[in-house]
């Protein structure tokens, strides 16, 4: 006869082991980056232009370029993704075609980023003739994170109890008024979760911007959305693999700034999500 307590302890042990196998390596990576990268962080490193083929100076253009690309991607992807999620969850009929579309969107979230880079190169750089520019890079990143935003937003909308909709409609509100004033406010925490995931992926990807926007060495700020720009992920790749005699602390310092930037954006979004979640009545 099985002992339930022993079974529970074994299950707990394996769950704890699985958690440690995930947390410990990630923690070690963060500790190493902070330990080796923090000595490089100073005002000159953060605010100066790169010099001597990126062997000296700072990473200011790469920081600004990353912020431009992430902002452009979110501005493009969030409205379209939210509208698509609203249509799929509130208006589309539950039939074979709709289920295929939902499955396709989920599968697109797992497509390798290099495929999105080639797609952006063919569509935005060549076909629409935007050139290698901030616009092409932002649109490519926006398309890459679009499936994440659609999926998370749709799940957040569908998690709102159906009774909320029924009560609103019974009081004379239209379907759109119900979605706008009842469903959306209660789904905002889940929508922000998808936005956080999209922000993190857009800020850390190298392959899509490699084909559409990233410059190898550009010691100036962009003047328009049709200019090339440096970006932290590509800058880190270049100084780690293509430029010889780069100080180790410069490489780890760049990685530290990228990590801090992503964590800061995620933290800000989490705080906003927490405030909206506190207002929920269910």
């Amino acid at each position: 006869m099985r002992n339930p307590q022993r079974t529970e302890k074994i299950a707990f042990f394996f769950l704890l082991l699985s958690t440690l196998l995930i947390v410990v390596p990630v923690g070690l990576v963060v500790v190493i980056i902070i330990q080796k990268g923090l000595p490089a962080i100073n005002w000159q490193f953060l605010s100066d232009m790169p010099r001597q083929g990126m062997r000296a100076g700072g990473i200011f253009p790469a920081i600004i370029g990353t912020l431009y690309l992430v902002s452009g991607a979110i501005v493009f992807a969030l409205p379209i993704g939210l509208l698509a999620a609203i249509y799929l969850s509130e208006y589309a009929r539950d039939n074979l075609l709709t289920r295929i579309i939902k499955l396709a969107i989920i599968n697109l979230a797992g497509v390798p980023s290099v495929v999105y880079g080639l797609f952006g190169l063919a569509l935005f750089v060549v076909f629409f003739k935007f050139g290698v520019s901030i616009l092409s890079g932002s649109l490519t990143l926006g398309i890459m994170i679009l499936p994440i935003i659609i999926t998370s937003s749709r799940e957040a909308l569908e998690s709102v109890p159906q009774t909320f909709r029924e009560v609103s409609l019974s009081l004379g509100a239209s379907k759109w008024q119900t979605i706008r004033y009842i469903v959306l406010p209660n789904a905002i925490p889940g929508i922000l979760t998808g936005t956080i995931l999209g922000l993190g992926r857009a800020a850390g990807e190298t392959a899509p911007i490699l084909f559409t926007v990233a410059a190898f060495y550009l010691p100036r700020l962009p003047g328009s959305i049709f200019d090339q720009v440096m970006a932290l992920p590509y800058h880190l790749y270049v100084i780690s693999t293509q430029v010889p005699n780069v100080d180790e602390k410069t490489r780890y310092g760049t990685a530290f700034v990228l990590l801090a930037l992503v964590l800061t954006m995620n933290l800000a979004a989490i705080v906003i999500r927490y405030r909206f979640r506190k207002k929920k009545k269910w």
Side-chain angles (χ1 to χ4, degrees):
M1 187 173 181
R2 292 183 179 180
N3 188 336
Q5 293 182 349
R6 181 180 298 175
T7 304
E8 183 180 359
K9 289 181 179 179
I10 294 174
F12 177 77
F13 170 77
F14 281 107
L15 290 173
L16 179 62
L17 182 62
S18 301
T19 303
L20 292 176
L21 288 175
I22 296 173
V23 173
V24 172
V26 173
L28 288 175
V29 170
V30 173
V31 169
I32 291 172
I33 290 175
I34 293 175
Q35 182 181 8
K36 295 188 176 183
L38 199 57
I41 305 301
N42 53 53
W43 180 248
Q44 181 181 3
F45 182 73
L46 297 176
S47 62
D48 203 0
M49 299 291 176
R51 300 189 302 272
Q52 301 177 16
M54 293 188 291
R55 294 183 182 87
I59 58 172
F60 184 65
I63 296 174
I64 297 300
T66 302
L67 292 175
Y68 281 167
L69 292 173
V70 171
S71 300
I74 290 298
V75 167
F76 168 75
L78 185 57
I80 296 177
L82 183 56
L83 291 175
I86 291 174
Y87 174 77
L88 290 173
S89 64
E90 303 295 332
Y91 290 99
R93 295 181 179 179
D94 186 16
N95 51 35
L96 179 62
L97 178 61
T98 304
R99 289 194 291 270
I100 291 175
I101 292 174
K102 291 178 180 179
L103 180 62
I105 292 172
I106 294 173
N107 290 333
L108 283 173
V111 173
S113 58
V114 67
V115 176
Y116 285 105
L118 290 172
F119 173 78
L121 174 65
L123 182 63
F124 302 120
V125 177
V126 177
F127 183 77
F128 285 117
K129 298 181 180 179
F130 293 152
V132 180
S133 62
I134 295 175
L135 182 59
S136 297
S138 297
L139 292 175
T140 303
L141 290 175
I143 289 177
M144 184 185 68
I145 66 176
L146 199 54
I148 301 175
I149 294 177
I150 293 175
T151 302
S152 60
S153 299
R154 181 174 60 82
E155 292 177 351
L157 292 168
E158 292 176 351
S159 69
V160 178
Q162 186 64 29
T163 53
F164 286 20
R165 299 173 176 84
E166 294 173 356
V167 171
S168 177
L169 293 172
S170 67
L171 292 175
S174 65
K175 189 173 183 63
W176 172 245
Q177 288 174 329
T178 300
I179 295 171
R180 180 179 178 183
Y181 296 107
I182 303 300
V183 179
L184 276 178
N186 287 285
I188 283 180
I191 294 170
L192 286 176
T193 299
T195 305
I196 292 169
L197 296 173
L199 279 172
R201 188 176 183 191
E205 287 292 346
T206 303
I209 61 176
L210 173 65
F211 294 105
T212 56
V213 60
F216 180 81
Y217 177 63
L218 194 66
R220 59 178 176 81
L221 296 179
S224 73
I225 60 174
F226 295 102
D227 289 344
Q228 282 186 274
V229 72
M230 295 179 69
L232 284 172
Y234 184 63
H235 181 75
L236 179 60
Y237 164 75
V238 169
I239 64 176
S240 299
T241 61
Q242 307 296 320
V243 182
N245 303 323
V246 176
D247 193 358
E248 182 186 62
K249 71 176 185 179
T250 300
R251 297 196 295 265
Y252 280 98
T254 304
F256 176 81
V257 172
L258 177 59
L259 180 64
L261 184 64
V262 173
L263 291 178
T264 300
M265 290 188 295
N266 287 350
L267 181 61
I270 289 171
V271 171
I272 296 173
R273 183 183 65 183
Y274 174 74
R275 290 184 176 180
F276 276 106
R277 184 170 288 175
K278 284 180 64 178
K279 298 178 181 179
K280 291 176 67 173
K281 304 300 182 182
W282 55 280

